[in-house]
Amino acid sequence: MSPQPISTRDIVYIALFAALTAALALFPPITLPLIGVPITAQSMGPMLAGAILGARRGALSILLVLALVAIGLPILSGGRGGLGVFAGPTVGFLLGWVATAYVVGLLHELGWNKLTLFSSFAHAMIGGIIVLYAIGIPVLAVQASLSIKAATMACLAFIPGDLVKAALTAVIAVAIKRAHPIIGTRRGQTA
């Protein structure tokens, strides 16, 4: 089964969610002193992109964000951008955003017909917390010269905020499903 070509509508959605993810950087970050990783609203972007656009388009929107960051646009929280951010302690989380968007999107596609507030919240938690942390924490441990345990303990401060982001994502995703569904089931029913 060959992948479907990207339509003009897909490009618009991908660009829109890349812009939304960049706009979430406008909320001021709170940097944790021990690890130098900021608490930001921006990590909600990948959750929203996946939940609303689906796996493929959601991941592509986050890849676009990372490409724009790589060429130097200061669109990360705190006005950061450029290749230097890919050498810092947040690189695992930044790269994990792509997996987050994909997994959240895939889970939403698989459960689209029976999507509820609770299931959407669970999907956002799995992709936006479990998958993201599984990628981000080991890279953080290496980059910040911490043990996995120390890096994990340091990241516990992010969990309450990430739960709020997952809940907001669920509310928005369910509302969009009812009003103007953009994704469909995994069996190819896409808008």
Side-chain angles (χ1 to χ4, degrees):
M1 180 180 200
S2 64
Q4 292 180 331
I6 295 179
S7 69
T8 302
R9 181 184 296 188
D10 291 339
I11 293 169
V12 170
Y13 286 146
I14 290 165
L16 177 66
F17 275 82
L20 173 67
T21 301
L24 286 169
L26 296 175
F27 291 93
I30 302 167
T31 302
L32 299 177
L34 175 64
I35 57 175
V37 176
I39 297 173
T40 72
Q42 203 163 24
S43 60
M44 187 171 156
M47 288 187 219
L48 281 170
I52 295 170
L53 298 182
R56 181 175 174 222
R57 291 180 291 193
L60 287 172
S61 72
I62 301 308
L63 281 171
L64 177 56
V65 169
L66 296 180
L68 294 172
V69 167
I71 63 170
L73 293 181
I75 59 173
L76 291 178
S77 188
R80 297 173 303 130
L83 290 175
V85 299
F86 294 102
T90 61
V91 65
F93 292 98
L94 292 175
L95 298 176
W97 282 0
V98 178
T100 291
Y102 188 85
V103 170
V104 170
L106 180 63
L107 292 172
H108 274 80
E109 289 173 14
L110 292 171
W112 190 250
N113 290 332
K114 296 180 181 179
L115 191 69
T116 65
L117 202 56
F118 178 76
S119 64
S120 183
F121 175 69
H123 300 333
M125 276 187 6
I126 291 167
I129 298 174
I130 296 171
V131 170
L132 182 62
Y133 284 39
I135 296 168
I137 288 174
V139 176
L140 170 65
V142 169
Q143 293 290 82
S145 299
L146 297 170
S147 69
I148 291 288
K149 182 179 178 181
T152 302
M153 295 305 289
C155 288
L156 290 178
F158 296 101
I159 298 283
D162 287 338
L163 290 171
V164 170
K165 293 174 214 173
L168 289 171
T169 296
V171 169
I172 294 166
V174 169
I176 288 180
K177 179 191 182 219
R178 290 181 186 140
H180 182 71
I182 296 173
I183 64 174
T185 63
R186 186 66 181 160
R187 300 222 179 251
Q189 295 178 355
T190 57

